[in-house]
Amino acid sequence: MSHTVRGRFAPTPSGRMHLGNLFSALIAWLSVRQQNGIMLLRIEDLDRARCKREYAEQLIKDLALFGLDYDEGGLTGTDRFSESCVQSERNDYYHEVLSILSKRAHIYPCFCTRAQLHDINAPHLGDYTPVYAGTCRNLSSAEILQKQTIRNPSLRIEVPNQTIAFNDCCQGHVEENLSHSCGDFVLQRADGIVSYQLAVVADDARMGVTEVVRGRDLLFSTARQLFLYDLLDAVPPRFAHVPLLLAPDHRRLSKRDAALSLTSLLTRFSPEELIGILAALCGLIDRPEPVKAVDLIPHFSFEQLKKEDIVLSPSFYHV
Ligand code: GLU
């Protein structure tokens, strides 16, 4: 059995990268390169309304500009199984995985509307995800048939009432009970597109990914993903959820923060300056001096990386 580390970039091409996306990509790359591992690039474009091929093409150019190379995947490349690494081209595979899961767990149609899901006085995980109350878990066949005439259902998986624990390389010990934190979650949306949770586990498992480095905003997806790994009898990767970069008012960055998009930043800073700024912000180097990503490899360790989110100074917003 090979022990080669396999990490990945898994960007969603819904706009040009912002500084936070670049930061996660940098840390994922540094960790893999320091361990002489294999880096792969998977394009997560399941949300066809938001994703564009031109954004994916730009993303690939941007990764190259910052010296963040990869060994497998991309838009034309394939992984070691000679499959496409573009999620929108992997639908048949996701449905195979869904059918395996449906033999091993209770997966059921859910007809709740968005308004119903957000309306019930349900507790919320983090800032927005309501805990699903199990409303459609035990519908009879007759009820399902009747409801199907009105709307297409999503598919949910029933979660166990038990604690799932893991050790995150950045955030330390994490534990979560899915029945309290999110409830039965969606594997396929009402429009037939599989959910992020299903696709990411199906892909990471199939591509032999051993290390997932991504933003802390996805920390509370990890227990759901570990639950799916377990059902699939697949070995989960190790996880590292890196701090988020926050706007000066402590908001999470989004692709709408135009001043922090690479389009704007690259008119003010060189790629080496930006890498140096990120490395200093997260504690890898003392001062924000221009540096190439490759020169940071010897400095990299998860222990050294800041754990808390990083609040950007307002100066980033000024031209
Ligand atoms: N595609 C996700 C994003 O761009 C990342 C998913 C992951 O790393 O698991 O936010």
Side-chain angles (χ1 to χ4, degrees), residues 8 10-12 44 196 200 214 218:
R8 50 36 159 213
T12 300
E44 300 213 325
Y196 158 70
V200 84
R214 59 189 178 192
L218 289 167

Side-chain angles (χ1 to χ4, degrees), residues 45-281:
D45 61 346
L46 285 177
D47 188 342
R48 304 304 292 147
R50 285 171 57 232
C51 295
K52 291 205 179 102
R53 186 170 170 106
E54 68 207 59
Y55 292 142
E57 285 166 358
Q58 183 64 55
L59 224 144
I60 287 170
K61 285 188 203 147
D62 286 337
L63 290 173
L65 187 67
F66 289 95
L68 307 179
D69 61 343
Y70 55 89
D71 310 296
E72 293 178 20
L75 273 175
T76 49
T78 53
D79 72 6
R80 64 177 168 161
F81 299 103
S82 296
E83 288 172 357
S84 162
C85 290
V86 177
Q87 286 193 327
S88 59
E89 294 169 9
R90 293 169 68 82
N91 216 26
D92 292 349
Y93 168 60
Y94 300 137
H95 282 93
E96 278 169 33
V97 175
L98 191 55
S99 119
I100 295 173
L101 287 171
S102 65
K103 295 188 182 86
R104 300 180 180 175
H106 180 207
I107 296 179
Y108 59 88
C110 168
F111 297 89
C112 294
T113 61
R114 190 179 291 260
Q116 283 169 321
L117 294 174
H118 284 80
D119 184 47
I120 325 171
N121 291 328
H124 284 52
L125 167 66
D127 25 38
Y128 45 82
T129 314
V131 178
Y132 182 66
T135 318
C136 295
R137 190 185 296 142
N138 296 310
L139 294 179
S140 67
S141 313
E143 283 170 314
I144 292 174
L145 279 176
Q146 189 273 326
K147 284 178 185 284
Q148 263 168 350
T149 60
I150 300 166
R151 49 185 290 123
N152 286 332
S154 60
L155 292 180
R156 286 184 185 269
I157 185 164
E158 182 171 345
V159 298
N161 181 3
Q162 72 191 39
T163 302
I164 295 177
F166 62 98
N167 195 41
D168 187 89
C169 299
C170 280
Q171 307 296 329
H173 180 80
V174 180
E175 46 179 65
E176 191 180 333
N177 181 322
L178 293 175
S179 69
H180 301 156
S181 61
C182 66
D184 302 350
F185 61 93
V186 172
L187 293 184
Q188 182 178 288
R189 301 179 345 189
D191 60 7
I193 296 184
V194 295
S195 70
Y196 158 70
Q197 308 294 353
L198 172 66
V200 84
V201 171
D203 281 342
D204 282 338
R206 177 85 178 152
M207 294 170 178
V209 168
T210 62
E211 177 172 292
V212 166
V213 178
R214 59 189 178 192
R216 196 189 53 77
D217 50 338
L218 289 167
L219 184 64
F220 287 104
S221 283
T222 307
R224 274 171 275 183
Q225 295 175 7
L226 287 171
F227 168 56
L228 296 181
Y229 273 101
D230 194 41
L231 286 172
L232 292 169
D233 282 331
V235 181
R238 71 170 186 156
F239 290 94
H241 289 87
V242 301
L244 299 180
L245 299 192
L246 303 179
D249 60 2
H250 293 239
R251 245 184 334 104
R252 259 168 44 183
L253 298 189
S254 82
K255 291 194 171 122
R256 285 182 296 260
D257 281 283
L260 296 184
S261 124
L262 292 185
T263 310
S264 165
L265 289 170
L266 286 168
T267 63
R268 293 177 276 150
F269 303 99
S270 69
E272 285 78 16
E273 282 172 327
L274 283 174
I275 295 280
I277 289 169
L278 288 175
L281 280 172

